[in-house]
Amino acid sequence: MKISIYPKDLIEQVWKEDEKRLASDAGASLTCLRCGKPLNQHMAVNALSRRADVYICQECGANEALWDALGEPDPLRDWYAVTSGRIGLASLAGPVLVPVCSFERIFDGPKKLFPLSSVEHPVSEVAYSRSGYDGHQWWRTWFPSGEEHPESALIKEIDQFSNTLMELPELKSLNAMGRMCRSCAQTSSDSTEFNLYSETKHFYIWIRLITREQDYNLYVHFYLKSQAD
C-alpha cells in the first residue's frame, strides 16, 4: 500500500515532469508552481521549497521562510499549480490524505459507546488508535469497539493503512508532522490541531493531528463503509 498526501505528492510529480522538460530542452522556461511567475533560468538562483521537493522562485522562497518563522499555515492547495487546474487527484493511486471530509454525514447519525469510554462514536466506527511522540519514537494504543470481532481481511486493511501511515517521512517527528499539517491539513479553531481524511476499500478514515508536545498527537479513526452508507 502507498499513501499519498494531497496536493504535496501531485506537486512533486509535476515538478519531475518540468525537470525532464528542462533536461531535454535547455531553452525551456519553467513556471513557479507556487505563484505562477517564471523561474530564473539558472536553477541555483531559485529556492528549494520548504513544503515540497520542488524549486520555486526567490520571492516565494522568502515568503515560505516568513510563514515558517511565524508558525502560520501556508497551504499547498493555494499554490498556482493547484488553483490553475494543472494537477488532479486522478493521477494518485491508493489511499490519499486530503484536507476535506467527504463523509461528514456519519457524525450526525446514530452513536455508540466504546468499552471503558463515555465518549460517543458513530455506529460505523470499528476501532481507533491513539499515538504519542516522546521525542524519539511513536507509541500507539488501540481501542476496538468491543463488538463482534471484525473479519481478518478488515483487520489486515486497518493494520496495513496504519503501519504505512506511520512510515511516512512527514511523521518521522513531531516537527515534521507540524510542517506537513500547516501545508496540507485542515485547520481547526485551535492552531495546534489539524485534520486529514482518507479512505480505503472498506473504510472511511479520520486522522486528527495534534502538534503540541507532551500530549497525544495522533488519533486515527476507522469507519466501516458498509455501515456508514
Side-chain angles (χ1 to χ4, degrees):
M1 178 183 288
K2 173 178 171 52
I3 297 177
S4 302
I5 302 175
Y6 175 86
K8 180 178 182 289
D9 290 304
L10 287 170
I11 288 173
E12 291 178 347
Q13 281 184 13
V14 168
W15 175 248
K16 288 180 181 178
E17 295 169 4
D18 284 353
E19 279 192 306
K20 288 180 182 177
R21 183 160 59 89
L22 186 64
S24 62
D25 181 5
S29 59
L30 297 182
T31 297
C32 175
L33 297 175
R34 189 176 189 272
C35 69
K37 297 177 182 178
L39 287 178
N40 193 290
Q41 288 289 333
H42 301 286
M43 196 53 61
V45 176
N46 298 299
L48 181 63
S49 172
R50 296 164 180 246
R51 308 286 177 261
D53 189 16
V54 307
Y55 275 88
I56 54 179
C57 68
Q58 277 188 314
E59 183 179 350
C60 282
N63 194 273
E64 282 191 348
L66 175 61
W67 288 121
D68 260 6
L70 295 174
E72 294 290 337
D74 183 24
L76 283 169
R77 59 185 176 274
D78 292 340
W79 278 32
Y80 175 78
V82 180
T83 60
S84 66
R86 188 176 175 187
I87 65 174
L89 279 170
S91 60
L92 291 176
V96 182
L97 307 185
V98 297
V100 178
C101 182
S102 64
F103 49 89
E104 287 184 342
R105 63 192 180 280
I106 71 173
F107 300 107
D108 297 325
K111 302 291 194 302
K112 67 181 178 183
L113 293 176
F114 271 48
L116 306 177
S117 172
S118 60
V119 179
E120 292 188 327
H121 298 256
V123 295
S124 57
E125 186 164 359
V126 172
Y128 72 93
S129 65
R130 183 181 68 190
S131 302
Y133 186 75
D134 66 4
H136 304 283
Q137 61 183 324
W138 288 94
W139 297 94
R140 181 169 59 187
T141 304
W142 281 100
F143 298 87
S145 67
E147 299 172 350
E148 184 178 347
H149 201 60
E151 298 176 9
S152 59
L154 297 180
I155 296 175
K156 181 179 179 180
E157 194 170 310
I158 290 174
D159 285 342
Q160 192 174 24
F161 181 90
S162 300
N163 293 334
T164 305
L165 177 70
M166 301 309 294
E167 291 171 358
L168 291 175
E170 289 80 6
L171 291 179
K172 67 180 180 181
S173 69
L174 200 56
N175 285 336
M177 189 182 85
R179 289 194 296 272
M180 183 271 291
C181 286
R182 291 191 292 274
S183 60
C184 298
Q186 179 189 61
T187 57
S188 71
S189 57
D190 187 322
S191 61
T192 64
E193 297 189 14
F194 300 84
N195 299 294
L196 284 169
Y197 307 92
S198 189
E199 61 180 279
T200 56
K201 181 179 180 181
H202 294 101
F203 294 99
Y204 294 121
I205 302 166
W206 170 35
I207 304 170
R208 183 183 171 211
L209 307 103
I210 300 168
T211 59
R212 298 185 295 271
E213 294 184 357
Q214 298 182 336
D215 201 340
Y216 292 115
N217 304 113
L218 189 68
Y219 291 80
V220 186
H221 300 263
F222 293 86
Y223 308 99
L224 195 58
K225 287 181 176 179
S226 61
Q227 295 180 11
D229 295 332

